[in-house]
């Protein structure tokens, strides 16, 4: 049974509380029991408790699969990009290096690339992924477009991302503030001119990552 | 007498904490469980619904329980990994007796012999020194049935007034403040009322780490248009996205609330009709807050005046609102005053007792609510009845089949029990579900007092740090090995269902207590064959009281996904929202919504006093303490669960870069934090998310990693809660890593 076509996975970094419930629950999934296929990143712990859960974005044209010399990474007809197939994976790390979202991890002991498969054992049976089910702040959400529109009137989902000249469309949606223009940052440009970010870009980054409250000076 | 029988390292080597990970059947892919047991989490007061997967009398995993309305399948990391504590290598399978000649300091002995010896020693102490020479320390994680039994055991079997519980360390300031203002001690609203509030005010509550599911309620309210105000010395994960953050100086909350009320009066942001119809005492309160203009409030609280004015305006002009607070304002030597200050701004707004308008404290422990309502608190009898009240005594004595005169008078709080040990008045102690050596402040004093005891018997399922000093340890039961009820954060009575049976010679706690009563030759009233029988007696004992459970049945709980108390009859649906017009109220009897004979709430003048120990030249920095998300309380359980330990393996001291620079401390460097009572050496975590005059250390660890070596045992005069949230310290770079960094396992 395929993952229902009207069900989407949404990530809302503004809601992430860094509790790692997703990380702990992911390792309970039957398809990769004992291993977590999601990880948590701090944006900059010295500055803020802002964290970001990182899952596979399940790209429409997955770079990881495109760069795989062994054709080990398959995408299901319902758009879920799977962990590399054990008989084919040669542990070359191409996918790990190429993924613009930094998702695939090499399991060195098993010589196998492993990554989030959107809890295919659960989602293909009509259940929600383990991480999105347990997430206490619902930074990870699995449901319909109507549900997310009702629950997040201040936000909107995007699934188009720009990395340099590469435009990527994903099955997973990222929630961004409704009023903010999601102007994409060209990583190459930032690398060349680190001090010349536009105000608009800074504002977008600040709003997307942390809507800073008024902090009274003492 | 009760000094550890061998070195701490030896005890830990034998009894843990050791780390459990998923392995064996728990790691088996595709394994079909025998059954799913719908129950609740064993940790905090939210009591999230969870389904445990059981295979061959072992809990092998979990499945989200999405139908349970409070959490709808959501869980924090502790709930996800709780199943790893069952079948744990550290699990106590038999009774232990102190034996310095044994490698681990204890040898095993048969359960029946252990009960006989415990009863003999208790009997000796009480016959030589009187009944009052023996004390009981109980726990707020026990089911309500067990807490009821513990209170009855202390007063009817042991005939001692000295029983108290670790809820004393949790939310008793809120309880006392609620009783003074509302006449009843319970969250006023179900959490669903948060969703429609126009302003959500959160004071002293690290919601994201201590009550993670509540985050979703708060942020959903924000999505629905609410403004979120957070008052905290740290930018917590929830504070990060609030609309207004007030970085208060620890211990000054009552000043802020008084300052807010001052502005509400000045701008006439008051509900005069509500104040007139439903309250008393506003005039004298209004007079008292004249002394709190914004400039003074700003000076005392350390918050900018413009932010105080903004908060007052948002709160004052809101149409609907919800105020939440937790230990951040309650763990103080004036915690009750802080709570009263919070309640005053709620009452002045008139926004309580109706939809989308509410007030609550965030219960910290699993059964913090039910655990104090039914008799293990030193001054209370079942039904939240007052032990000093003759009518209340007569009601409960009749249920218990004793004369009211036989019931002891109110005892003393948990910390005072240790002071009585110091004075030689208490010679023996029984503890269950309480780990005071980690959880009480100034715990070097607690350790010395345990050493003074003639006899100490502990009931536990892991050998906790306090039980290292026990003469006898009786093997109790894990959460999933027994059934009963608990009352969660909203006042919802829910059902804990048994998943597995206790292993080895371990026994369900209520059986151990009854076996002790029989061995003491006082079995009358302790012949329950099942927790359901205890609940049936509890229902009758609570009937007519404020915490009336008489209409609650186990079946009704399961049918309704919980029943909110009070519930005075079986055809009554329960009371999710207190103070609604016409709702059940045995005190006011129709006179008004609040639980006083005239039905009116009380405004109380909330007096500001500085913390007991303020900073000075020798100790110039404020230390505050609290939790991290992957550990729970004294860590008896979570420091044994590998993935949770890996998530947060050791305490760190959070320091602002300005303070760190002044002291020459770098991120990750070993730092010694010293107070007048002790010192602790931990790594520094340099972050801009804490006030520069304040440092923070989480308190879940034992021994040399215990933050409570440093904290002060000052207590609130009314609630007797300790002042964990403020003491004065100095910091310095450690000359070398502490011994524990090289000698002990990482989880120690």
């Amino acid at each position: 049974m395929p993952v229902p076509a009207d069900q989407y996975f949404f990530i809302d970094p503004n809601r992430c509380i860094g509790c790692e419930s997703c990380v702990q629950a992911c390792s309970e999934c039957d398809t990769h029991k004992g291993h977590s296929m999601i990880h948590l990143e701090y944006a900059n712990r010295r500055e803020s408790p802002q964290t970001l859960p990182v899952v596979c974005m399940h790209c429409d044209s997955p770079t990881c699969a495109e760069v795989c010399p062994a054709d080990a990474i398959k995408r299901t007809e319902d758009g879920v990009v799977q962990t590399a197939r054990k008989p084919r994976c040669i542990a070359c790390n191409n996918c790990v290096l190429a993924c613009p979202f930094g998702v695939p991890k090499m399991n060195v002991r098993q010589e196998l690339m492993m990554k989030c498969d959107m809890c295919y054992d659960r989602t293909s049976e009509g259940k929600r992924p383990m991480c999105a089910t347990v997430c206490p702040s619902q930074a990870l959400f699995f449901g319909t477009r109507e549900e997310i529109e009702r629950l997040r009137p201040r936000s909107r989902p995007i699934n188009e991302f720009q990395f340099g000249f590469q435009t990527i469309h994903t099955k997973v949606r990222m929630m961004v503030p409704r009023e903010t223009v999601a102007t994409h940052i060209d990583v190459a440009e930032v690398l060349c001119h680190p001090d010349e970010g536009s105000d608009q870009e800074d504002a977008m980054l600040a709003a997307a990552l942390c809507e800073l409250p008024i902090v009274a000076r003492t | 007498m009760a000094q550890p029988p061998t070195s701490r390292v030896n005890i830990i080597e034998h009894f843990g904490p050791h780390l459990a990970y998923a392995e064996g059947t728990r790691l088996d892919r595709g394994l079909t469980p025998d059954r799913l047991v719908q129950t609740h989490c064993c940790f905090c007061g939210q009591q999230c619904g969870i389904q445990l997967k059981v295979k061959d009398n072992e809990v092998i995993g979990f499945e989200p329980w999405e139908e349970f309305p409070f959490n709808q399948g959501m869980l924090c990391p502790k709930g996800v990994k709780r199943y790893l504590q069952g079948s744990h290598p550290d699990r106590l399978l038999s009774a232990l007796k102190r034996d310095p000649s044994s490698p681990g300091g204890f040898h095993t002995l048969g359960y029946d012999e252990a009960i006989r010896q415990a009863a003999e020693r208790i009997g000796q102490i009480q016959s030589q020194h009187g009944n009052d020479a023996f004390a009981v320390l109980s726990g707020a994680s026990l089911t309500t049935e067990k807490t009821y039994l513990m209170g009855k055991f202390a007063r009817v079997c042991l005939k001692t007034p000295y029983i108290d519980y670790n809820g004393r360390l949790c939310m008793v300031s809120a309880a006392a403040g609620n009783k003074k203002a509302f006449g009843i001690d319970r969250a006023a609203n179900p959490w669903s009322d948060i969703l429609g509030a126009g302003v959500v005010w959160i004071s002293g509550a690290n919601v994201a780490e201590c009550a993670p599911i509540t985050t979703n309620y708060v942020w959903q309210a924000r999505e629905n248009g609410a403004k979120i105000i957070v008052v905290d010395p740290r930018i917590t994960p929830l504070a990060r996205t609030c609309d207004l953050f007030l970085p208060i100086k620890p211990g000054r909350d009552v000043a802020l609330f008084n300052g807010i009320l001052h502005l509400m009066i000045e701008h006439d942001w008051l509900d005069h009709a509500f104040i007139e119809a439903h309250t008393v005492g506003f005039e004298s309160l209004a007079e008292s807050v004249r002394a709190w203009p914004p400039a003074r409030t700003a000076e005392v609280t350390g918050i900018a005046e413009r932010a105080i004015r903004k908060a007052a305006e948002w709160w004052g002009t809101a149409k609907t609102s919800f105020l939440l607070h937790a230990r951040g304002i309650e763990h103080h030597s004036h915690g009750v005053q802080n709570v009263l200050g919070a309640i005053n701004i709620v009452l002045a707004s008139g926004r309580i007792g109706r939809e989308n308008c509410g007030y609550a404290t965030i219960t910290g422990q699993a059964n913090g609510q039910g655990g104090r309502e039914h008799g293990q608190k030193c001054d209370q009898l079942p039904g939240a009845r007052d032990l000093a009240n003759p009518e209340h005594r007569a009601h409960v004595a009749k249920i218990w089949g004793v004369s009211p005169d036989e019931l002891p008078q109110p005892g003393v709080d948990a910390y005072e029990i240790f002071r009585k040990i110091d004075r030689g008045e208490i010679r023996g102690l029984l503890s269950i579900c309480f780990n005071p050596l980690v959880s009480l402040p100034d715990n070097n004093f607690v350790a010395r007092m345990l050493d003074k005891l003639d006899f100490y018997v502990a009931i536990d399922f892991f050998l906790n740090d306090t039980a290292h000093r026990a003469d006898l340890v009786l093997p109790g039961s894990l959460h999933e090995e027994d059934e009963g009820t608990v009352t969660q954060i909203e006042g919802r009575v829910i059902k804990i269902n048994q998943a597995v049976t206790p292993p080895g010679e371990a026994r369900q706690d209520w059986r151990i207590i009854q076996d002790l009563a029989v061995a003491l030759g006082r079995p009358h009233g302790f012949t329950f064959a099942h927790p359901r029988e205890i609940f049936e007696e509890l229902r009758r004992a609570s009937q007519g009281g404020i915490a009336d459970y008489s209409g609650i049945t186990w079946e009704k709980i399961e049918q309704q996904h919980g029943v909110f108390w009070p519930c005075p009859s079986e055809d009554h649906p329960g009371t999710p929202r207190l103070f609604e017009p016409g709702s059940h109220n045995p005190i006011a009897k129709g006179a008004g919504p609040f639980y006083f004979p005239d039905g009116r709430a009380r405004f109380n003048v909330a007096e500001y006093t500085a913390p007991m120990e303020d900073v000075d030249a020798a100790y110039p920095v404020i230390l505050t303490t609290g939790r991290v998300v992957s550990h729970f309380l004294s860590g008896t359980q979570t420091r044994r669960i590998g993935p949770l330990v890996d998530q947060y393996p050791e305490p760190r001291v959070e320091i602002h870069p300005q303070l760190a620079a002044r002291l020459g401390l770098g991120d990750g460097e070993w730092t010694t934090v010293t107070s007048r009572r002790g010192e602790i050496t931990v790594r520094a975590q340099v972050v801009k998310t804490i006030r520069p005059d304040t440092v923070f250390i989480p308190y879940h660890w034992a021994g040399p990693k215990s933050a409570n070596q440093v904290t002060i045992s000052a207590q609130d005069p009314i609630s007797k809660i300790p002042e964990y949230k403020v003491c004065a310290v100095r910091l310095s770079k450690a000359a070398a890593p502490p011994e524990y960094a090289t000698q002990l396992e990482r989880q120690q």
Side-chain angles (χ1 to χ4, degrees):
Chain A
M1 177 178 152
V3 177
D6 65 339
Q7 303 276 304
Y8 295 91
F9 193 108
F10 300 91
I11 303 174
D12 190 345
N14 214 21
R15 282 200 173 206
C16 183
I17 55 173
C19 71
E20 296 196 34
S21 202
C22 53
V23 176
Q24 301 288 10
C26 183
S27 65
E28 298 298 323
C29 181
D30 274 341
T31 53
H32 45 79
K33 192 123 185 173
H35 299 281
S36 189
M37 298 293 112
I38 184 171
H39 68 277
L40 185 84
E41 290 188 352
Y42 274 89
N44 181 346
R45 181 61 191 98
R46 184 181 169 94
E47 302 290 327
S48 162
Q50 170 75 61
T51 46
L52 178 69
V54 181
V55 299
C56 176
M57 300 297 285
H58 298 284
C59 305
D60 290 353
S61 299
T63 309
C64 59
E66 287 169 0
V67 301
C68 177
D71 195 22
I73 302 171
K74 298 298 181 188
R75 181 170 177 268
T76 61
E77 287 183 3
D78 47 6
V80 175
V81 182
Q82 301 279 355
T83 283
R85 293 190 172 181
K86 177 65 180 162
R88 282 180 172 263
C89 181
I90 58 172
C92 69
N93 261 323
N94 266 11
C95 53
V96 175
L97 296 169
C99 172
F101 297 103
V103 169
K105 298 293 174 202
M106 187 56 61
N107 186 323
V108 176
R109 193 171 54 82
Q110 295 188 39
E111 294 188 329
L112 177 67
M113 182 279 274
M114 298 179 79
K115 56 170 278 300
C116 154
D117 61 2
M118 208 186 278
C119 275
Y120 205 65
D121 63 316
R122 300 176 68 82
T123 47
S124 63
E125 291 182 358
K127 295 180 184 173
R128 298 193 286 160
M130 197 65 111
C131 59
T133 311
V134 302
C135 178
S137 59
Q138 290 292 279
L140 302 174
F141 180 82
F142 189 77
T144 63
R145 187 178 293 277
E146 291 72 29
E147 285 176 305
I148 203 74
E149 283 176 357
R150 180 175 55 81
L151 290 169
R152 311 288 167 89
R154 291 162 53 107
S155 311
R156 64 190 169 94
I158 60 168
N159 73 329
E160 182 185 288
F161 301 88
Q162 192 75 33
F163 292 90
F165 297 113
Q166 187 182 17
T167 303
I168 295 178
H169 291 90
T170 61
K171 184 176 177 68
V172 172
R173 269 64 174 159
M174 187 76 76
M175 302 302 291
V176 297
R178 179 164 288 281
E179 286 80 23
T180 304
V181 179
T183 306
H184 296 290
I185 298 170
D186 185 331
V187 174
E189 201 170 289
V190 175
L191 285 171
C192 295
H193 308 285
D195 302 324
E196 295 178 9
S198 72
D199 288 347
Q200 188 183 26
E201 286 163 357
D202 289 347
M204 194 279 288
L205 249 189
L209 285 176
C210 49
E211 292 186 4
L212 286 171
I214 297 171
V215 180
R217 305 261 174 229
T218 59
Chain B
M1 174 63 193
Q3 285 180 343
T6 181
S7 74
R8 185 163 181 270
V9 172
N10 283 345
I11 297 176
I12 288 170
E13 187 181 324
H14 283 79
F15 297 102
H18 297 102
L19 301 186
Y21 290 92
E23 55 189 17
T25 53
R26 289 163 165 164
L27 207 51
D28 200 347
R29 293 170 56 172
L31 194 71
T32 307
D34 298 336
R35 60 190 189 281
L36 286 176
V37 178
Q38 290 183 338
T39 185
H40 295 270
C41 185
C42 55
F43 296 117
C44 86
Q46 295 180 117
Q47 287 294 285
C48 295
I50 187 173
Q51 299 183 102
L52 299 180
K53 287 182 184 172
V54 181
K55 176 83 174 170
D56 298 331
N57 205 37
E58 184 181 1
V59 180
I60 59 167
F62 82 100
E63 183 64 30
W65 181 12
E66 299 188 52
E67 292 73 32
F68 189 72
F70 179 78
N71 62 303
Q72 299 170 53
M74 292 179 272
L75 292 167
C76 84
K78 297 185 290 293
V80 167
K81 295 296 181 184
R82 62 161 281 184
Y83 77 94
L84 290 173
Q85 66 179 332
S87 307
H88 192 287
D90 294 342
R91 178 79 165 88
L92 298 181
L93 304 176
S94 59
L96 299 173
K97 185 172 185 180
R98 168 192 174 82
D99 179 3
S101 68
S102 288
F106 293 89
H107 69 245
T108 60
L109 77 168
Y111 174 80
D112 293 338
E113 177 60 15
I115 290 288
R116 190 194 67 75
Q117 290 189 20
E120 183 179 281
R121 296 295 304 276
I122 294 169
Q124 282 172 356
I125 287 171
Q126 291 197 312
S127 61
Q128 285 177 19
H129 304 287
N131 291 335
D132 295 2
F134 200 86
V136 176
L137 289 176
S138 192
S141 292
L142 298 169
T143 61
T144 302
E145 287 79 357
K146 292 179 189 178
T147 67
Y148 172 84
L149 193 70
M150 291 306 298
K152 185 178 180 185
F153 175 75
R155 288 160 183 137
V156 174
C157 180
L158 296 179
K159 302 179 191 301
T160 177
Y162 298 129
I163 176 170
D164 204 45
Y165 76 128
N166 58 12
R168 180 68 59 193
L169 320 178
C170 187
M171 46 185 286
V172 285
S173 287
N178 282 208
K179 281 184 77 172
K180 285 173 82 72
F182 304 130
I184 184 172
D185 157 25
R186 204 208 87 179
N189 297 70
W191 258 218
S192 54
D193 274 336
I194 297 173
L195 299 175
V199 169
V200 181
W201 179 301
I202 300 168
S203 261
N206 181 4
V207 171
E209 294 199 78
C210 306
I213 308 303
T214 298
T215 314
N216 189 44
Y217 285 89
V218 175
W219 277 341
Q220 194 55 50
R222 189 165 179 254
E223 293 282 355
N224 297 343
K227 290 186 170 72
I228 312 297
I229 302 170
V230 174
V231 187
D232 203 290
R234 303 160 71 210
I235 299 178
T236 58
L238 190 140
R240 177 179 60 77
T241 58
C242 70
D243 300 280
L244 182 60
F245 175 60
L246 309 181
I248 196 165
K249 194 173 178 181
R252 275 75 179 173
D253 301 274
V254 67
L256 175 63
F257 292 127
N258 285 345
I260 296 293
L261 187 58
H262 177 103
L263 286 165
M264 289 171 71
I265 294 170
E266 184 178 297
H267 294 275
D268 199 18
W269 292 322
L270 302 168
D271 186 336
H272 292 285
F274 180 89
I275 293 169
E276 177 72 22
H278 297 302
T279 68
V280 294
F282 184 71
E283 293 74 17
S284 52
L285 173 64
E287 180 61 30
S288 75
V289 300
R290 287 179 62 179
W292 289 96
R296 184 186 175 208
T297 307
E299 184 186 343
V300 172
T301 61
I303 303 169
E305 192 177 319
R306 70 181 177 96
I308 293 168
R309 288 183 180 277
K310 177 66 72 180
E313 182 185 350
W314 285 4
W315 179 261
T317 59
K319 297 283 183 273
T320 55
S321 62
F322 204 113
L323 190 148
L324 288 160
H325 60 71
R327 306 304 86 73
I329 75 164
E330 297 157 25
H331 275 160
H332 292 282
S333 57
H334 51 273
V336 175
Q337 301 304 312
N338 286 342
V339 170
L340 291 173
I343 293 172
N344 285 339
I345 71 166
V346 173
L347 287 174
S349 75
R351 294 189 296 265
I352 193 164
R354 54 190 165 97
E355 195 175 7
N356 302 327
C357 291
Y359 159 83
T361 186
I362 299 176
T363 307
Q365 295 198 62
N367 198 18
Q369 185 72 52
R372 70 176 177 273
E373 290 162 0
H374 295 290
Q376 61 174 346
K377 191 165 176 247
C378 68
D379 58 354
Q380 283 198 353
L381 286 168
R385 285 190 160 89
D386 186 352
L387 189 53
N389 181 314
E391 286 179 27
H392 293 188
R393 293 167 65 86
H395 175 87
V396 176
K398 188 177 176 186
I399 302 289
W400 287 352
V402 297
S403 156
D405 297 339
E406 291 179 67
L407 293 178
Q409 289 296 325
V412 297
D413 66 272
Y415 209 92
E416 191 62 23
I417 283 177
F418 285 91
R419 296 193 184 105
K420 281 188 172 288
I421 294 169
D422 194 22
R423 295 194 291 269
E425 295 168 32
I426 289 174
R427 317 282 293 232
L429 180 68
L430 181 152
S431 73
I432 179 170
C433 191
F434 196 165
N435 190 8
L437 200 59
V438 179
S439 56
L440 282 178
D442 190 10
N443 58 22
N444 292 319
F445 169 78
V446 175
R448 291 197 301 275
M449 293 310 102
L450 289 166
D451 294 347
K452 288 185 76 167
L453 287 167
D454 291 346
F455 177 65
Y456 169 36
V457 54
I459 301 172
D460 213 327
F461 44 81
F462 294 127
L463 195 72
N464 74 37
D465 308 90
T466 310
H468 287 185
R469 294 161 190 261
D471 297 282
L472 273 175
V473 181
L474 303 173
S477 49
L478 273 169
H479 190 263
E480 51 263 44
E481 293 167 0
D482 205 352
E483 67 180 319
T485 59
V486 302
T487 305
Q488 52 84 275
I489 200 164
E490 303 167 293
R492 189 195 305 250
V493 182
I494 52 174
K495 178 79 195 317
I496 305 302
N497 288 315
Q498 186 175 0
V500 293
T501 55
E505 291 211 293
R507 297 283 189 278
Q508 287 151 334
D509 305 311
W510 57 274
R511 291 186 192 276
I512 296 173
I513 294 302
Q514 295 200 141
D515 289 344
L516 274 175
V518 171
L520 283 160
R522 307 163 194 167
H524 178 67
F526 300 96
T527 55
F528 299 106
H530 194 274
R532 179 188 286 271
E533 293 179 11
I534 304 176
F535 188 74
E536 292 304 314
E537 185 177 294
L538 182 160
R539 288 175 61 193
R540 288 190 289 122
S542 74
Q543 189 165 26
I546 289 175
D548 191 333
Y549 281 39
S550 62
I552 302 174
T553 65
W554 281 12
E555 289 72 21
K556 193 164 150 182
I557 291 171
E558 301 214 330
Q559 285 161 11
Q560 295 185 193
H561 282 141
V563 180
F564 289 82
W565 72 264
C567 181
S569 62
E570 289 197 26
D571 59 358
H572 191 284
T575 312
R577 186 180 297 119
L578 297 176
F579 317 136
E580 277 191 306
S583 64
H584 172 75
N585 183 330
I587 306 298
K589 297 189 174 76
F594 297 98
Y595 281 57
F596 294 103
D598 60 6
R600 290 167 176 259
R602 268 56 178 163
F603 281 107
N604 291 272
V605 172
E607 298 283 358
Y608 170 76
T609 48
M612 186 65 76
E613 187 179 69
D614 216 339
V615 294
D616 55 25
Y619 298 92
V621 178
I622 299 170
L623 169 69
T624 191
T625 63
R627 298 196 204 175
V628 298
V629 70
S630 72
H631 285 291
F632 189 64
L633 302 189
S634 70
T636 299
Q637 291 161 277
T638 54
R639 280 187 285 116
R640 289 178 161 85
I641 298 175
L644 297 180
V645 171
D646 293 343
Q647 190 173 330
Y648 206 110
E650 62 183 29
R652 289 184 172 226
V653 55
E654 287 184 17
I655 309 173
H656 190 278
Q658 289 176 11
L659 178 61
R662 203 158 66 235
L663 298 170
L665 296 166
D667 189 58
E669 285 190 332
W670 291 103
T671 303
T672 300
V673 181
T674 307
S675 75
R676 290 183 175 85
R677 294 153 294 280
E679 65 176 41
I680 179 174
T681 299
V682 291
R683 287 184 221 268
Q685 182 161 37
V686 179
V687 289
K688 289 183 178 174
T689 51
I690 188 165
R691 286 178 61 94
D693 57 5
T694 301
V695 296
F696 169 87
I697 306 177
Y699 65 77
H700 308 286
W701 286 264
K705 289 185 183 175
S706 172
N708 279 324
Q709 297 171 99
V710 180
T711 51
I712 186 169
S713 63
Q715 290 169 284
D716 182 279
I718 300 168
S719 70
K720 304 294 183 185
I721 208 166
E723 186 152 62
Y724 294 105
K725 291 294 184 275
V726 192
C727 73
V729 296
R730 61 171 179 257
L731 286 84
S732 58
K733 188 181 291 189
E739 208 170 283
Y740 73 72
T742 52
Q743 287 201 346
L744 294 179
E745 294 295 322
R746 57 188 166 158
Q747 73 273 23
Q748 310 313 321

